[in-house]
Amino acid sequence: MDVVEQRPRLVSLRVTQFRGDNSAPAPAPQKLSLELRQDIEVGLGTSANADGPLLALVNVALHATAKAPDGTDIGAFFEGRYEGKFEYPAGVTEELIGPRFAMEPYQYVLVAQVVPLAMTHFRRELQAMGLDARELPLGL
């Protein structure tokens, strides 16, 4: 059972990088598929200020490649990197939270808050670059 006084709070989601290339000639509208891969890292840290709170960081990297219906690569690729930062309440130490943080369900709760926000931004950027990304999932 999680103690309310020890729960981290999501304080920021930052887009650290987005890049893409959709320079292939625009043929008549066609159904494309997107191959999506995600890399997720979770870690504990401290703020630059020695008196600052304990932090949990979730880094999400999303990679997508557009494919034609026959599976050929059309030359459109995209990559987005996101960082979610959680702050623990004052007085929470790594020794106190470390054993719980090492468990997958605990990490999942943090990741499940960051990935939908990152995917929402990623989908919007894909749509701004001319791809219909409405069918991409928002969750894990």
Side-chain angles (χ1 to χ4, degrees):
M1 184 64 114
D2 201 1
V3 178
V4 174
E5 293 81 22
Q6 296 175 357
R7 285 188 190 157
R9 181 175 56 95
L10 181 62
V11 293
S12 70
L13 175 75
R14 212 167 56 112
V15 179
T16 58
Q17 179 183 24
F18 184 88
R19 65 179 175 188
D21 183 17
N22 189 15
S23 57
Q30 62 177 326
K31 184 102 172 148
L32 297 176
S33 63
L34 280 173
E35 281 187 5
L36 179 67
R37 181 174 57 89
Q38 58 187 4
D39 301 320
I40 301 172
E41 298 174 340
V42 181
L44 275 176
T46 57
S47 60
N49 179 1
D51 299 343
L54 184 65
L55 303 174
L57 301 170
V58 176
N59 290 319
V60 177
L62 301 171
H63 312 273
T65 305
K67 304 278 185 178
D70 62 2
T72 59
D73 193 347
I74 66 162
F77 66 91
F78 310 92
E79 180 179 356
R81 295 186 179 273
Y82 303 87
E83 177 186 89
K85 181 169 69 171
F86 295 82
E87 285 184 358
Y88 284 91
V92 175
T93 63
E94 186 175 350
E95 293 78 24
L96 182 64
I97 211 72
R100 220 175 322 156
F101 192 84
M103 297 185 313
E104 186 178 339
Y106 188 86
Q107 293 178 16
Y108 181 83
V109 169
L110 300 175
V111 171
Q113 294 177 62
V114 175
V115 168
L117 298 172
M119 280 299 293
T120 298
H121 178 269
F122 194 70
R123 283 174 46 174
R124 286 183 187 155
E125 291 299 314
L126 291 178
Q127 288 176 325
M129 294 185 77
L131 293 175
D132 182 358
R134 290 178 289 184
E135 292 184 19
L136 282 179
L138 282 179
L140 295 172

